[in-house]
Amino acid sequence: MTEPAPVAILLVNAGEETMRNILIHADHAPSMGARTESALAIARRFRSHLSFLISSPYQLFIASDPFGGMYLAREELAKAQLEDAELEKRLGTELEREDVPWDVAVADGDALSAMTLAATLADLAIVSLGQRDRYGSAAPTIAADLALTVSAPVLALPAGSASIDLDAPMMVAWNGSPQAAHALRAGMPLLGGSSRVTLLSVGDDAGRVSAEDALRYMSRHGVHAEWRREPVRPDTAEEALVRVAKEMAAGLIVMGAYGRPRLRETLFGGVTRYMLESSPVPLLLAH
C-alpha cells in the first residue's frame, strides 16, 4: 500500500484575513498624522489596503438670503475644492514612499455620510476624537455616530496622541452585553499582538455573557488574558476604565458602544459618552 501524499497545511493569522481593508477619514486637522501612522502600522502587520477618504460637503456653500432666495458661495466653494485637491496630492506624495497599497478618494457629502457609505466594505474605520477644551473634554466627532451606523469596528484616536502601539498592553471593557461581545470579536486581530491583555469588569458581571466565557473565547484565539474586576465605588464605571487604563499604560481600549439607548446616554450621560470625551488612549468601538 502506498503512503498518502502529504497535505500541506497553511496556518494563517486570523487578523491577516479580517483587517485587509482599512478606511481612514482624511482631513486637514493636526490629528491626521496620527491617523496615517496608525493605519500604516496596522497595514504592515496585517497586509492591509489603505483607503483614505476626503469628504467635501459642498452643500455647506449653498446659502439663502432674507428674501428666500438661494445662491452658491462660489469663492468659498472654489477655495474648499482647492484645499481638498492639495490634501489629496500631499497624501499621495507621502504614501508613495510607503510599502503598503493605498488609494485616496474625494467624496461629495458630509464626513459621516461619506464614511458610512465607504465603510460598507471596510474591515476597520479610523477616525480621531475631537480637540480637548480647557476642562479636558474632547469635542464631539463622527466616532460615536459612525460606530452606530457601520458594521466594521471604529478605531478612534484621541486628538494630540501618537499613533497606536500594537505591542502595548490592551484592555477589553467587559459588561457581558452583546455590544461588548461584538467589540471583543472585532478587536481580536489587534489584541493578538499585545504584550498583555486585561479583561476589565466594573461591579457585578450582570450581563448575559460571563467574563469566563469571554476569556475562553479569547484563549481559543491564542489570546490569554487576565480578568480584573473593579468595584463601582469609589469610582464610576467610566472613571474606573480610565484609571486602570492609565495604571497599565494601555495602548488600546476595546469596548462596546452605547449599550443603552443613544438618547438616554445623551440626556443622562454614560460610559460611551464619557470615554469619547475623556479617554487618554485609542478606543476600538463596535455596536
Side-chain angles (χ1 to χ4, degrees):
M1 180 181 294
T2 58
E3 293 291 331
V7 178
I9 299 176
L10 178 63
L11 298 179
V12 179
N13 184 339
E16 293 182 356
E17 297 303 321
T18 57
M19 289 279 177
R20 286 297 181 89
N21 297 282
I22 300 177
L23 176 67
I24 306 97
H25 175 223
D27 61 12
H28 306 274
S31 55
M32 184 62 210
R35 266 173 274 160
T36 301
E37 291 303 318
S38 296
L40 288 169
I42 296 171
R44 293 188 184 107
R45 178 158 296 187
F46 300 119
R47 299 186 298 168
S48 314
H49 181 100
L50 303 182
S51 294
F52 291 82
L53 184 66
I54 303 168
S55 62
S56 295
Y58 297 139
Q59 66 271 21
L60 294 178
F61 301 98
I62 300 176
S64 60
D65 59 38
F67 303 102
M70 305 285 290
Y71 67 93
L72 181 65
R74 297 184 182 279
E75 291 185 5
E76 290 81 358
L77 174 59
K79 181 181 178 181
Q81 290 175 320
L82 179 60
E83 290 175 348
D84 289 341
E86 291 175 348
L87 175 60
E88 183 179 13
K89 182 179 179 180
R90 184 171 72 252
L91 276 173
T93 301
E94 293 173 358
L95 293 168
E96 282 179 352
R97 299 191 293 266
E98 304 297 341
D99 55 350
V100 301
W102 56 271
D103 66 80
V104 181
V106 180
D108 184 9
D110 63 272
L112 178 60
S113 299
M115 287 288 291
T116 297
L117 179 59
T120 304
L121 292 176
D123 301 312
L124 177 70
I126 301 179
V127 299
S128 291
L129 299 176
Q131 293 291 332
R132 297 187 184 278
D133 60 22
R134 60 178 179 174
Y135 303 106
S137 295
T141 64
I142 65 171
D145 291 314
L146 192 62
L148 288 174
T149 56
V150 301
S151 58
V154 175
L155 177 61
L157 305 171
S161 70
S163 61
I164 189 171
D165 182 355
L166 297 175
D167 300 315
M170 296 184 183
M171 175 200 295
V172 178
W174 187 257
N175 63 1
S177 68
Q179 291 80 11
H182 185 196
L184 174 59
R185 291 195 307 272
M188 286 306 302
L190 298 180
L191 293 171
S194 170
S195 59
R196 177 165 61 97
V197 178
T198 298
L199 186 79
L200 180 67
S201 301
V202 181
D204 295 332
D205 187 15
R208 287 181 281 176
V209 184
S210 70
E212 289 86 351
D213 287 338
L215 291 169
R216 275 192 292 271
Y217 173 82
M218 287 190 283
S219 180
R220 289 166 183 164
H221 283 270
V223 177
H224 304 290
E226 62 178 359
W227 181 25
R228 177 170 173 175
R229 179 183 289 176
E230 291 288 314
V232 175
R233 295 185 178 182
D235 298 331
T236 62
E238 50 268 32
E239 289 171 340
L241 290 179
V242 171
R243 174 174 55 80
V244 174
K246 291 180 178 178
E247 288 176 3
M248 60 182 288
L252 179 70
I253 299 176
V254 176
M255 61 178 289
Y258 293 110
R260 298 186 298 181
R262 175 68 182 276
L263 178 60
R264 181 177 174 83
E265 290 233 7
T266 301
L267 293 176
F268 302 106
V271 175
T272 307
R273 179 179 173 186
Y274 182 92
M275 297 302 290
L276 289 168
E277 294 176 349
S278 305
S279 178
V281 300
L283 302 173
L284 187 75
L285 302 167
H287 181 71

